[in-house]
Amino acid sequence: MRQAPTPSFDDVRPYRGARLELIPLHCWNAISRDGRELGKAPADGRWTTRQYDHAETLERAQRERLNLGVRLPADVVVLDVDPRHFPDGTNSLDKLVADTGIDLSAAPHVLTGNLNTPGHHYYFRKPAGAVLLESIEGYAGLEFKSLGRQVVAAGSVHPTGGRYEWATDSPPLADMPDLPSNVLKMARRPERVAAASSDAGELTPELLAKTLEQLDPCDFGKKQHERWKELMMACHYATDGEGRQEFIDWCMGDPEYADQDWIVGRRWDSLHVNRDQKITTATLRMYLQEVGGDIASPDPEDDFDVWEDDGTVEAESSRWRFLSIDEVERLPPPKWLVQGVLVEASIAAIYGPPESCKSFLAVDMAMAIASGMDWHGRTVERGGVLYIAAEGAPGLGKRMRAWKVNRGAQGRAFQLHLMRDELNLAAEKDGGVRAFVQAVTDELGPLRLIVIDTLNQTAAGADENSAKDMGRYIASMKKLRDATGAAVVVVHHSGKDVSKGMRGSTALLGAMDTTVEVERSTDGHSIKVAVHKQKDAEREGPMRFNLEKAADSLVLKPTAMVDAGGDFDGRTDLIVELARQMASERGGSVPLKELAEAVCERDGVADKTARRRIEEAIPKHCTRDNAKQSADGGLVWQEPADPRNPKLGILVRTEG
């Protein structure tokens, strides 16, 4: 056995910080039955959709001495450089730099560990909806890998014995630059024309690999080029273009194709499934029947995630899972999409009366997530956003421009898509919904957030008070969530009696993981945002925002906000900020009683608790001489409204 460094993953923080998921690969020196090296291949079937727990993946890699891979999301692309395939006398990477001006020094950079011909992985951001070819004509040895692909993680060991390592001058992974627009344009995959036959795309890449094991690649060698070409076209059709790597790996079993994987991949990328294609899955089946074979059937265990117990992997015998209490306790907690407000992959509603600025709040959150910028001091998970603007679409452009101006984000990349077409998520026949969900996943890929604005405009003919009609609507929201991985938020109206919450059937409230009420002040200059239901986390107190002019629209500016973690105790600085805000708005002072009332309303606590918190933040002995300092440098203290008349009470004053 070849000696090599043991895979080492002491520091995976760069991947976690960039929100990239690690998956298990085979051991670095693993060999397949047909002699192929497996050290860079995923260890599990259905790895593109299998759910992985980060801690368990690391523990498994350490226990079994496995390599790790990075499962690439839709908004990340890795430029994979393999100098073995550079044409004689031509460095394709230098040519790409000269032709496009791409700045590789700005891209996080991994050295691939190939001791014979070192390669490179350069990480870039890209629009989630942009689907790229893996190879480009004229740049042999360069591949663009994104959604549906994985690359080997730093710390793994290459089959030649070298270690994948971060380049010494590599920028932080979290600082991935955008792939230049000219490179994006030249690498973008042409739009596919939908195939008429229902068997297009019927095979998964894993199933294609099992199917091809029945065929000898040497029977399709260079002297049998037409047979090889027909087989490639049939495999491309059968997987709708997704079986690229599996077909390349099969070809490498023929010595004539050794070290020609880039050429095979380039030929694959030149193919397109279309309505008039004559070479289909039937052609693949014909070649299989020549050797007494047929399309492989999926193994029963492929329908389930593999569970591990004491280092052994057993196939599940049914689709039901029964968890012990220890397993329940080990389940990961919900992940925040917007810290303290919105959970990832959840179903939620933002509701309020007409003109309460519900859509302002939805746009505000959508822009933060699409850009990766914080939401008023709260962290967000950056990712793609789909905004379904069934109501008020013309005004959204102004709101989004105002948001950018207010946040100084005019030059920042936003992964946001807008849809204005008619959509009925409550239709009795769900064919239209299924087609819409398929279009979203095909064109946009994984998303972090989908906003439906509003329920009324996307539920044509439905009765909002009907549990049956709203049940169909909820089912459609869940289809979108499950297909995209996004949190799906619907904007809705409150009923005539605002105190009773959302309008319509109680089935809506029952299905929601989170509900957020928006209430506009009587003067129209501010709103209160209150989370009324938070299924899997502690509910926070209300938040207040002023509506302020920016560009040609309005933006939300927070007053004083509750701690984003949900635990107010000990956050005396927030009391100081609230007092500073209220006193400034009232000419320099605010009665202690009014400040206590504001704390009661905002934090949902009793008057006694509110006054205790104020005393901790701004004690009675806190005077002008030893005043508390606010975040902007202003001073905050207490003093009697009139020293000669104690009945007039205490004022909290501010200055500066």
Side-chain angles (χ1 to χ4, degrees), residues 501-580:
M502 287 192 297
R503 188 172 73 190
S505 170
T506 55
L508 281 170
L509 176 61
M512 296 298 156
D513 299 307
T514 303
T515 62
V516 180
E517 182 183 27
V518 183
E519 181 183 351
R520 194 162 185 172
S521 63
T522 54
D523 63 8
H525 298 315
S526 64
I527 64 172
K528 182 175 77 171
V529 176
V531 177
H532 283 302
K533 180 181 179 182
Q534 195 67 279
K535 180 181 176 183
D536 294 317
E538 183 178 350
R539 192 161 47 90
E540 296 191 0
M543 298 163 277
R544 292 186 177 277
F545 298 89
N546 290 331
L547 292 163
E548 298 187 7
K549 186 76 173 176
D552 296 328
S553 187
L554 299 174
V555 295
L556 301 182
K557 285 287 190 69
T559 55
M561 297 186 67
V562 177
D563 175 20
D567 182 4
F568 188 90
D569 291 343
R571 291 300 305 273
T572 57
D573 56 320
L574 296 178
I575 292 284
V576 173
E577 296 304 321
L578 178 59
R580 166 80 165 157

Side-chain angles (χ1 to χ4, degrees), residues 12-23 52-54 57-58 68-78 108 110 122-125 145-147 149-154 166 172-176 335 344 381-382 448:
V12 296
R13 287 175 297 178
Y15 296 108
R16 297 289 285 172
R19 305 187 183 99
L20 295 178
E21 189 172 21
L22 297 175
I23 64 170
Y52 288 100
D53 176 84
H54 177 73
T57 298
L58 288 178
L68 288 179
V70 184
R71 181 159 61 182
L72 298 173
D75 64 339
V76 172
V77 57
V78 171
V110 171
Y122 293 97
Y123 285 76
F124 293 89
R125 292 280 181 192
K145 294 185 176 179
S146 188
L147 180 67
R149 298 298 178 206
Q150 60 85 22
V151 293
V152 183
W166 290 104
L173 184 59
D175 295 341
M176 281 180 272
K335 287 175 148 184
E344 286 189 340
E381 290 289 325
R382 184 187 186 196
R448 290 284 189 188

Side-chain angles (χ1 to χ4, degrees), residues 59-132:
E59 190 277 331
R60 178 182 171 190
Q62 183 178 23
R63 183 180 69 243
E64 301 178 22
R65 299 168 64 89
L66 301 179
N67 280 339
L68 288 179
V70 184
R71 181 159 61 182
L72 298 173
D75 64 339
V76 172
V77 57
V78 171
L79 174 57
D80 186 353
V81 183
D82 188 348
R84 293 177 304 161
H85 302 303
F86 286 175
D88 292 339
T90 301
N91 183 313
S92 295
L93 187 61
D94 289 346
K95 183 175 184 294
L96 182 70
V97 172
D99 292 347
T100 67
I102 187 172
D103 183 7
L104 298 177
S105 66
H109 175 201
V110 171
L111 303 173
T112 65
N114 188 327
L115 295 178
N116 301 322
T117 312
H120 313 270
H121 292 161
Y122 293 97
Y123 285 76
F124 293 89
R125 292 280 181 192
K126 75 171 185 65
V131 181
L132 306 184

Side-chain angles (χ1 to χ4, degrees), residues 576 580 617-630 633-639 652-656:
V576 173
R580 166 80 165 157
I618 315 167
K620 293 176 182 177
H621 59 74
C622 179
T623 65
R624 173 68 178 76
D625 294 332
N626 61 347
K628 296 295 183 179
Q629 192 170 43
S630 64
L635 303 179
V636 180
W637 71 95
Q638 288 194 34
E639 65 180 38
V652 177
R653 297 191 61 87
T654 185
E655 180 182 290

Side-chain angles (χ1 to χ4, degrees), residues 361-425:
L361 180 65
V363 169
D364 197 46
M365 285 188 181
M367 294 291 282
I369 293 167
S371 64
M373 301 178 74
D374 69 88
W375 187 71
H376 305 295
R378 297 169 183 246
T379 57
V380 304
E381 290 289 325
R382 184 187 186 196
V385 175
L386 170 61
Y387 201 105
I388 301 172
E391 183 172 298
L396 289 178
K398 288 184 178 181
R399 295 180 193 178
M400 292 175 179
R401 281 194 298 272
W403 196 98
K404 287 183 177 182
V405 170
N406 179 60
R407 297 294 297 272
Q410 293 94 325
R412 194 177 183 91
F414 285 78
Q415 302 173 45
L416 190 144
H417 311 272
L418 181 71
M419 195 200 83
R420 302 172 57 183
D421 301 312
E422 289 186 4
L423 179 66
N424 188 354
L425 297 176

